[in-house]
Amino acid sequence: MNSSGTVSWPAETEPHERLWLAFPTGGYTLGETDADAHEARRMWADVAAAAADFEPVTVVVDPSQVEVASTYLRDDIETVVAPLDDAWMRDMGPTWVRADSGGLNAVDWVFNGWGAPAWATWGKDSLIAQTVAATAGTPVMTSLLVNEGGAIHGDGQGTVLVTETVQLDKGRNPYATKARVEAELARTLGARKVIWLPRGLTRDYEEFGTRGHVDMVATIPSPGTLLLHAQPDSRHPDHLVMRELKEFLEEQTDASGRRFEIVELPAPSVLTDDEGPVDYNYVNHVVVNGGVIACAFGDAEADDRAAGILADAYPGRRVVSLDARPLFARGGGIHCITQQQPATR
């Protein structure tokens, strides 16, 4: 599959202009009690603050949350006021790509709340990519593909990871085929090789899941290397899921024809919560200028081991780990609530 060569999707490790988030607004993210709301706001604010130690951060804030957001967000964090349904910027925000001229375009995917589930609202969030792009001063490249930023991952050299149960989901793209999706990813991202993971983590197929986001499973810290979630405990259903995904990925090649060097990130020891098998993973981190904001889960041994693996995978970057359990209780991780804006050349 060949792209037109008009755009390329920068790797997340390339220099950033800034990092974008959205402040929690309502619904299940804020929860039912004041304590729940405080936990959510504190979590999002902590991620913003950790990232702001490395690069500029902008947070989109719903008009109803401006006053409360000012009590949580650090003074050096910029804000933009716009209506929001939720707070998952990776999925509703734009995906920036670089044009041949060196300037940026912002890809605006169709967002329908992760496949139009009955519990979700997305009318406001579906407009956020346009708002963010306009604020950033970048032209918009419109796509008719229902897609989310957490459902794609690239190496900056034309390799793109996706999941069959997301882009081909009948709630998202009922008439899609792999060929049509690949053609659109070539047009919008400059994809030269699309690797279709057969599925995602078990928890992601529950009521509030995304049905297989790749950013809970794998990430590419450098071309040719793959960081892969691993569940070493055979009592967890993802033990088998990840074994099969590893076997699948061992047979794949990237856009340059290389087989991946696979580095496993073992899960923490906890297996379940009140809802069933957890999807705790260390893959869902965000790379920032000079650093990595990583997930931790209150398991000192596993958290330290993961931080060490990430430090080796991203040489020269400082790893900062935050307890991400409040995020995962709400359906995602640190990568899910952030979106990087690449620096212009």
Side-chain angles (χ1 to χ4, degrees):
M1 178 185 62
N2 296 316
S3 75
S4 63
T6 57
V7 297
S8 61
W9 186 21
E12 294 184 22
T13 52
E14 293 192 26
H16 298 175
E17 177 73 22
R18 66 181 56 248
L19 195 71
W20 289 81
L21 294 88
F23 194 73
T25 300
Y28 74 97
T29 301
L30 284 186
E32 299 179 354
T33 68
D34 289 344
D36 289 340
H38 173 69
E39 181 183 62
R41 290 164 176 155
R42 183 75 274 149
M43 183 77 247
W44 264 255
D46 284 349
V47 173
D53 287 340
F54 295 91
E55 64 187 57
V57 172
T58 300
V59 179
V60 178
V61 181
D62 185 84
S64 69
Q65 300 296 309
V66 170
E67 183 175 351
V68 68
S70 68
T71 68
Y72 283 89
L73 296 175
R74 229 165 56 184
D75 290 343
D76 60 339
I77 295 171
E78 298 181 10
T79 58
V80 173
V81 179
L84 291 167
D85 295 296
D86 216 323
W88 304 93
M89 181 58 78
R90 178 69 52 176
D91 294 342
M92 62 182 168
T95 301
W96 276 280
V97 295
R98 184 166 286 120
D100 284 345
S101 64
L104 298 178
N105 292 328
V107 181
D108 179 15
W109 313 107
V110 176
F111 179 70
N112 72 348
W114 309 279
W119 54 266
T121 57
W122 59 87
K124 299 171 184 175
D125 286 352
S126 67
L127 304 176
I128 287 299
Q130 296 272 349
T131 299
V132 169
T135 305
T138 47
V140 172
M141 179 185 295
T142 301
S143 175
L144 295 180
L145 184 70
V146 179
N147 193 30
E148 303 96 36
I152 50 175
H153 184 68
D155 67 352
Q157 297 185 357
T159 309
V160 177
L161 306 178
V162 298
T163 314
E164 292 183 9
T165 54
V166 176
Q167 283 80 12
L168 302 181
D169 175 23
K170 297 305 181 184
R172 289 176 168 95
N173 301 295
Y175 305 108
T177 63
K178 287 185 177 180
R180 288 180 176 178
V181 172
E182 290 181 8
E184 182 63 355
L185 295 178
R187 183 184 75 87
T188 53
L189 302 179
R192 297 187 296 120
K193 174 68 177 290
V194 178
I195 298 175
W196 290 87
L197 277 66
R199 59 159 299 152
L201 298 183
T202 300
R203 182 70 166 258
D204 222 357
Y205 296 90
E206 299 298 324
E207 181 181 4
F208 298 108
T210 69
R211 297 195 280 288
H213 269 194
V214 70
D215 70 354
M216 303 289 269
V217 173
T219 191
I220 302 173
S222 58
T225 300
L226 195 70
L227 287 174
L228 188 66
H229 175 58
Q231 175 50 259
D233 196 316
S234 61
R235 294 172 296 173
H236 194 294
D238 287 335
H239 174 75
L240 180 60
V241 169
M242 292 313 305
R243 188 176 71 185
E244 292 176 349
L245 283 178
K246 183 182 181 184
E247 291 173 354
F248 168 79
L249 287 164
E250 285 173 338
E251 299 301 316
Q252 304 304 308
T253 57
D254 65 12
S256 298
R258 294 169 295 210
R259 290 195 184 274
F260 291 103
E261 176 189 352
I262 297 177
V263 178
E264 292 188 319
L265 274 168
S269 57
V270 64
L271 300 180
T272 61
D273 62 10
D274 292 342
E275 304 298 325
V278 297
D279 53 0
Y280 292 171
N281 71 85
Y282 298 102
V283 169
N284 200 274
H285 54 269
V286 66
V287 180
V288 290
N289 294 337
V292 178
I293 313 302
C295 297
F297 301 98
D299 180 335
E301 181 179 355
D303 292 346
D304 289 346
R305 178 180 59 214
I309 294 171
L310 292 174
D312 290 341
Y314 299 101
R317 298 180 193 263
R318 179 163 59 91
V319 177
V320 177
S321 298
L322 301 178
D323 189 338
R325 285 175 291 183
L327 275 175
F328 277 77
R330 291 163 172 81
I334 289 174
H335 191 260
C336 303
I337 68 169
T338 58
Q339 178 62 275
Q340 73 279 351
Q341 178 186 342
T344 54
R345 288 176 177 168

